[in-house]
Amino acid sequence: MTTITIADDSPFGLDNLPYGVFSTPGSARRVGVRVGDVVVDLARALDDEVFARPSLNEFMAQGYDRWVAVRERIRDLLHGEVDDDVVHPIGEVTMHLPIEVADYVDFYASEQHATNLGRLFRPDSEPLLPNWKHLPVGYHGRAGTVVVSGTDIMRPCGQRKSPDEDVPSFGESRRLDIEAELGFVVGTGSALGTSVSCGDFARHVFGAVLVNDWSARDIQAWEYVPLGPFLGKSFATSISPWVVPMPALQTARTETPRQEPRPLPYLREEQAWGLDIELVVEWNGQEVSRPPYRDMYWSPAQMLAHLTANGASSRTGDLFASGTISGAEKHQRGAFIELTWGGREPIEINGEERTFLRDGDEVTISATAPGPGEARIGFGEVRGRIVAATNTAG
Amino acid sequence: MTTITIADDSPFGLDNLPYGVFSTPGSARRVGVRVGDVVVDLARALDDEVFARPSLNEFMAQGYDRWVAVRERIRDLLHGEVDDDVVHPIGEVTMHLPIEVADYVDFYASEQHATNLGRLFRPDSEPLLPNWKHLPVGYHGRAGTVVVSGTDIMRPCGQRKSPDEDVPSFGESRRLDIEAELGFVVGTGSALGTSVSCGDFARHVFGAVLVNDWSARDIQAWEYVPLGPFLGKSFATSISPWVVPMPALQTARTETPRQEPRPLPYLREEQAWGLDIELVVEWNGQEVSRPPYRDMYWSPAQMLAHLTANGASSRTGDLFASGTISGAEKHQRGAFIELTWGGREPIEINGEERTFLRDGDEVTISATAPGPGEARIGFGEVRGRIVAATNTAG
């Protein structure tokens, strides 16, 4: 038997308890919870087969009351001694995609990001389109290419046409970018023909992850009218391995920025689900940005209410992301296209002038939120390295 | 033992043999093949557990060579006598969603449809956008709301704003429409970082279904810039229960219309996958349109090559649809917004002037293709009835 010790300043203390899917050499994937610098094997520690699965989906589908009860059981367990064989040092496990992604939706909820991209993509018109302050604009992305942090990202190929070219050509993206986002995981879905109100958010959404929505800006710019982004985004979306349960973010709740005009009734919140989470973006180990989630115009509860307002069903494993998180200051922008203003204002990375991603570059996004008292709630990180394209024949 | 008799003019003869998922009272869902007016229970007839499943996915994942072998075995079987208990009259079974949908993509491959919608949605600019003849424009839709033919379609609610209104309001869609399409089902996927060439289409795509991509035009028009259709489409997409295997469409293969400018190499086909399929659209039992699939500009092989050109993986159960099929003539248009020119030119249905769908309306889309000799290959139908919205609180 052993007692798990947690450093006082650990971002993975008893107020966090994020879930993930891990494996050890020779063993199958299964669900664990992270505490300090160890992973606790939940199937063994709680003697419950629902955690002996390669994704969180089966546990999430058991619903809100079970999520609350299991969180309490884990806390009780960690206050005492646990069997040695249920504890694995974080350095000795491999982390996997924590959920089986059902549908993936990406929103566009940062006013600063939408304004910046409007200026860059449509320089001759109003940056913010007329619908933007009335509804959380979003679109469906590719669920099958959501990958776990650490997965190499192959530079995508595709059609791109610069304004000075007459015809498009096929080849490697020359403007490969990141988008620093937060993602929300639906634990229990809603039936076709029903909607999830803002007030029901916590009963449906299990937790949050970090998202890097890799974006090929040249492919996107050429393809995206009139039906939206497609191949410019669909090649890969990375998520962090740890799903932070929504109750761990209770202390981080805050008001959203003032919403004017006042949203329609189905988008009004009695208690706002704004979140005071600070992200850090590192490019080859150098910090380039600190996007503040608290500045996001639309809350995740408003996103889910909108997503289901037409009666669309939701399912266990649905993932919806916030869209790029950008604040008002330059060092708060969550995409390189904004940080370098379309590539026209390079930034210095380790002594070099840089705009978009080169092969071999690595990007790491991490985040923390305030917990009770002095505690910080850690999200861990989402990390990815760019590797050269191999399917370049056009 | 019994011999299955097939009428000479049956669209479900031995050259078709579409797969579906059916149940009988008190029995679990399982895979069957349609022959004439009966469904053959394949798990029993072939003594193979892969067909005792509630979707085709496990069989499809076995790959092309198995698809060919099973088709041959079914033909051999049907030439002789079969056990009585493996045969069910079509009127005595319930049909279900044939596949577990992985990712759903909708293309926009009809030049006539894209031109018509461009004129209606963007009357002040060129109807066909600059990228349209260079690539098959497409976007991801909601996989979780793909439903089988016969499922009632609840009128969606959402935000809509007429040009003459200052602010949007929330409520039932007033411009509920159909889109008559063909859908293609991926049987065996492709790995992340690889692409499926046009020539490899038949080894990856298992078969085709009819699709009705229900569309709320008022919701769509307000929301769709800049990230594409979302709630205007995500409430429901209906597909036909029978998946017609691609080999059954060999006789229907034809050239696509001349593609000028010449597509980039990755979109060039040695043998075109144009398909001579004729659809029939009925509104409350009255034929209103005969959309010709042979006029589609981009072939399904080009769609899949494009979808994977950036290295995006594909999976068993991926569904990609063609987009609305519209021909040059008015009676060949596959959406009511085109048939009624944005609602300004009503058409007469059973003696009434009609534009968009009312509660209680039923739409049926059917299709046939030429088979060997005199044979016709039937797709059956995709059918849906509009029911009143119940979640109207905005």
Side-chain angles (χ1 to χ4, degrees):
Chain A
M1 300 294 280
T2 185
T3 305
I4 296 172
T5 55
I6 312 168
D8 286 344
D9 60 349
S10 172
F12 298 103
L14 293 179
D15 295 306
N16 189 350
L17 302 177
Y19 297 96
V21 169
F22 75 102
S23 64
T24 47
S27 85
R29 299 179 188 200
R30 54 205 191 280
V31 174
V33 67
R34 176 151 181 191
V35 194
D37 293 326
V38 301
V39 179
V40 177
D41 181 334
L42 288 180
R44 288 187 178 186
L46 303 181
D47 191 21
D48 191 335
E49 283 297 300
V50 79
F51 300 109
R53 299 284 179 271
S55 86
L56 286 164
N57 289 45
E58 193 173 317
F59 168 50
M60 294 194 299
Q62 293 182 329
Y64 179 79
D65 294 342
R66 258 287 278 179
W67 311 340
V68 171
V70 167
R71 194 168 159 82
E72 281 310 307
R73 275 197 70 194
I74 293 171
R75 279 209 180 123
D76 290 347
L77 181 83
L78 295 172
H79 278 116
E81 292 194 314
V82 294
D83 277 343
D84 295 302
D85 65 352
V86 307
V87 180
H88 302 275
I90 187 72
E92 294 177 12
V93 302
T94 302
M95 298 305 300
H96 304 279
L97 197 63
I99 59 169
E100 192 181 329
V101 183
D103 271 299
Y104 168 49
V105 166
D106 198 19
F107 283 94
Y108 194 53
S110 157
E111 182 173 358
Q112 289 299 331
H113 172 70
T115 302
N116 289 338
L117 258 68
R119 288 197 179 118
L120 289 164
F121 273 66
R122 297 175 298 279
D124 301 324
S125 49
E126 276 294 308
L128 221 51
L129 289 162
N131 57 16
W132 199 90
K133 291 214 164 178
H134 292 280
L135 54 83
V137 169
Y139 68 102
H140 284 91
R142 191 160 186 81
T145 53
V146 175
V147 298
V148 71
S149 174
T151 306
D152 282 347
I153 304 301
M154 186 182 290
R155 178 179 299 275
C157 290
Q159 289 194 29
R160 59 276 197 288
K161 189 182 90 61
S162 314
D164 59 334
E165 291 172 321
D166 287 337
V167 293
S169 60
F170 184 93
E172 299 177 27
S173 171
R174 304 173 188 123
R175 289 163 72 89
L176 185 54
D177 197 358
I178 65 153
E179 296 201 327
E181 309 191 7
L182 208 61
F184 299 90
V185 178
V186 173
T188 51
S190 52
L192 199 63
T194 69
S195 307
V196 177
S197 67
C198 287
D200 276 346
F201 175 74
R203 292 195 72 83
H204 287 271
V205 171
F206 179 79
V209 292
L210 293 169
V211 175
N212 186 345
D213 177 31
W214 306 93
S215 298
R217 300 299 181 188
D218 41 1
I219 297 172
Q220 182 186 355
W222 170 237
E223 76 177 354
Y224 92 106
V225 281
L227 301 184
F230 185 35
L231 299 195
K233 304 273 197 174
S234 66
F235 57 95
T237 304
S238 300
I239 68 171
S240 53
W242 295 109
V243 183
V244 175
M246 292 314 293
L249 298 174
Q250 192 58 35
T251 322
R253 286 182 71 172
T254 183
E255 293 295 314
T256 50
R258 182 177 156 76
Q259 299 183 331
E260 181 60 44
R262 192 177 180 206
L264 283 163
Y266 79 98
L267 291 173
R268 290 180 199 159
E269 294 182 275
E270 291 195 16
Q271 294 180 290
W273 266 103
L275 292 165
D276 180 19
I277 300 170
E278 186 164 71
L279 285 75
V280 177
V281 180
E282 291 175 296
W283 187 347
N284 292 341
Q286 179 182 320
E287 179 184 314
V288 292
S289 175
R290 286 192 167 254
Y293 195 84
R294 63 184 166 277
D295 288 358
M296 296 299 272
Y297 191 88
W298 297 106
S299 84
Q302 291 176 313
M303 294 176 204
L304 184 59
H306 185 65
L307 199 160
T308 56
N310 66 347
S313 51
S314 59
R315 290 181 289 173
T316 296
D318 279 351
L319 172 68
F320 62 96
S322 61
T324 306
I325 305 161
S326 288
E329 306 300 323
K330 183 168 177 180
H331 69 276
Q332 295 180 321
R333 296 175 185 164
F336 297 163
I337 194 172
E338 293 171 81
L339 279 168
T340 66
W341 207 250
R344 295 192 287 276
E345 301 173 10
I347 55 176
E348 195 178 294
I349 302 295
N350 301 329
E352 280 192 287
E353 300 265 287
R354 301 297 304 278
T355 53
F356 292 100
L357 289 161
R358 291 184 192 155
D359 294 346
D361 279 357
E362 186 170 74
V363 174
T364 304
I365 303 168
S366 56
T368 57
E374 299 289 300
R376 296 294 294 176
I377 303 293
F379 280 78
E381 62 180 35
V382 58
R383 186 171 44 79
R385 192 170 59 91
I386 307 302
V387 298
T390 55
N391 60 334
T392 53
Chain B
M1 300 294 281
T2 186
T3 306
I4 297 172
T5 55
I6 312 168
D8 286 344
D9 60 350
S10 172
F12 298 103
L14 294 180
D15 295 307
N16 190 349
L17 302 178
Y19 297 96
V21 170
F22 75 102
S23 64
T24 49
S27 85
R29 300 180 186 197
R30 53 207 192 279
V31 174
V33 67
R34 177 152 181 190
V35 194
D37 294 325
V38 301
V39 178
V40 177
D41 182 334
L42 287 179
R44 289 186 178 188
L46 303 182
D47 191 21
D48 190 335
E49 283 297 298
V50 80
F51 301 109
R53 299 284 180 271
S55 86
L56 285 164
N57 290 44
E58 192 172 318
F59 167 50
M60 294 195 299
Q62 293 182 330
Y64 180 80
D65 295 341
R66 259 287 279 178
W67 311 341
V68 171
V70 167
R71 195 167 157 83
E72 281 309 307
R73 276 197 69 194
I74 294 171
R75 280 210 179 120
D76 290 346
L77 180 84
L78 295 171
H79 278 117
E81 291 193 314
V82 293
D83 277 342
D84 295 302
D85 65 352
V86 308
V87 179
H88 302 275
I90 187 73
E92 294 176 12
V93 303
T94 302
M95 298 304 300
H96 304 279
L97 196 63
I99 59 169
E100 191 181 331
V101 182
D103 270 299
Y104 167 49
V105 166
D106 198 18
F107 284 93
Y108 195 53
S110 157
E111 181 172 359
Q112 288 299 332
H113 172 70
T115 302
N116 289 339
L117 258 68
R119 288 197 178 118
L120 289 163
F121 274 67
R122 297 175 299 277
D124 301 324
S125 49
E126 278 293 309
L128 220 51
L129 289 162
N131 56 16
W132 200 91
K133 291 214 164 177
H134 291 279
L135 54 83
V137 169
Y139 68 102
H140 284 90
R142 191 160 186 81
T145 53
V146 175
V147 298
V148 72
S149 175
T151 306
D152 282 346
I153 304 301
M154 186 181 291
R155 178 179 299 275
C157 289
Q159 289 194 29
R160 58 277 197 285
K161 190 183 89 62
S162 314
D164 59 335
E165 291 172 321
D166 286 337
V167 293
S169 59
F170 184 92
E172 298 177 27
S173 172
R174 304 174 189 122
R175 289 163 72 88
L176 185 54
D177 196 359
I178 65 153
E179 296 201 327
E181 309 191 7
L182 208 61
F184 300 90
V185 177
V186 172
T188 51
S190 52
L192 199 63
T194 69
S195 306
V196 178
S197 67
C198 288
D200 275 346
F201 175 73
R203 292 195 71 85
H204 287 272
V205 172
F206 180 78
V209 293
L210 293 169
V211 175
N212 187 344
D213 177 30
W214 306 93
S215 298
R217 300 300 181 188
D218 41 1
I219 297 172
Q220 181 185 356
W222 169 237
E223 75 175 357
Y224 92 107
V225 279
L227 301 184
F230 185 34
L231 300 194
K233 304 273 196 174
S234 66
F235 58 95
T237 305
S238 301
I239 68 171
S240 55
W242 296 109
V243 182
V244 175
M246 293 313 294
L249 298 174
Q250 191 60 33
T251 322
R253 286 182 70 172
T254 182
E255 294 294 315
T256 50
R258 180 177 159 75
Q259 297 182 334
E260 181 61 44
R262 192 177 180 206
L264 284 163
Y266 80 98
L267 292 172
R268 290 180 198 158
E269 295 181 274
E270 290 194 17
Q271 293 179 292
W273 266 103
L275 291 166
D276 181 18
I277 300 169
E278 186 164 70
L279 285 74
V280 178
V281 180
E282 291 174 296
W283 188 347
N284 293 340
Q286 178 182 320
E287 178 183 314
V288 291
S289 175
R290 287 191 167 254
Y293 196 84
R294 64 184 166 276
D295 289 357
M296 297 298 272
Y297 191 88
W298 296 106
S299 85
Q302 291 175 313
M303 294 175 205
L304 184 59
H306 185 65
L307 200 160
T308 56
N310 66 347
S313 51
S314 59
R315 290 181 290 172
T316 296
D318 279 352
L319 172 68
F320 61 97
S322 62
T324 306
I325 305 161
S326 288
E329 306 300 325
K330 183 168 177 181
H331 70 276
Q332 295 181 320
R333 295 175 186 165
F336 296 163
I337 195 172
E338 293 171 81
L339 279 167
T340 67
W341 207 249
R344 295 193 288 277
E345 301 173 11
I347 55 176
E348 196 178 294
I349 302 296
N350 301 328
E352 280 192 286
E353 300 265 286
R354 300 296 305 279
T355 51
F356 292 100
L357 288 161
R358 290 185 194 155
D359 294 346
D361 278 358
E362 187 170 74
V363 175
T364 304
I365 304 167
S366 56
T368 56
E374 300 289 301
R376 296 295 293 175
I377 303 293
F379 279 78
E381 62 179 34
V382 58
R383 186 171 43 79
R385 192 171 60 90
I386 307 302
V387 298
T390 56
N391 60 335
T392 55

